[in-house]
């Protein structure tokens, strides 16, 4: 997983991300926790395990959040395959 932008501000657990194209994305508290954990070395499985261990957020909820972050353009994983 890779963060696609690094310009952000955190306010009371919510992250405001300014993407490279200048658009803003506001993440809720769970998405902010997830976004902060993502780094270039970890796979989706590792990230799910980390977020479950650290914040007790289910894998299903984490996968939904990862998909939303990808759709928002603040996270990328070119090797990811989601299936049907």
């Amino acid at each position: 997983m890779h963060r696609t932008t690094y310009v952000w501000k955190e306010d009371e657990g919510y992250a405001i991300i300014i993407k490279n194209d200048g658009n803003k994305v506001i993440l809720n508290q769970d998405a902010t926790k997830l976004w902060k954990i993502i780094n270039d070395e970890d796979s989706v499985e590792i990230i799910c395990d980390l977020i479950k261990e650290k914040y007790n957020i289910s894998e299903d909820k984490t996968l939904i959040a990862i998909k939303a972050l990808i759709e928002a353009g603040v996270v990328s994983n070119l090797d990811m395959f989601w299936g049907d």
Side-chain angles (χ1 to χ4, degrees):
M1 297 297 303
H2 312 280
R3 292 187 224 177
T4 59
T5 183
Y6 294 91
V7 179
W8 69 290
K9 174 181 145 180
E10 190 172 355
D11 185 21
E12 295 183 28
Y14 293 85
I16 301 168
I17 298 172
I18 301 172
K19 296 175 18 176
N20 295 333
D21 63 7
N23 289 320
K24 289 182 186 178
V25 176
I26 300 173
L27 304 179
N28 66 23
Q29 292 175 335
D30 287 344
T32 298
K33 292 172 187 173
L34 175 60
W35 190 81
K36 289 168 62 175
I37 284 177
I38 291 172
N39 67 54
D40 290 345
E41 290 85 36
D42 292 340
S43 67
V44 172
E45 293 80 19
I46 291 171
I47 292 166
C48 286
D49 289 344
L50 289 170
I51 201 84
K52 185 176 181 180
E53 179 181 314
K54 189 168 184 173
Y55 297 111
N56 198 29
I57 298 172
S58 73
E59 182 175 339
D60 289 342
K61 192 172 182 181
T62 301
L63 289 173
I64 290 168
I66 289 171
K67 287 180 184 180
L69 291 174
I70 290 169
E71 289 173 7
V74 297
V75 170
S76 174
N77 184 354
L78 299 177
D79 298 325
M80 186 175 297
F81 176 73
W82 292 105
D84 295 336

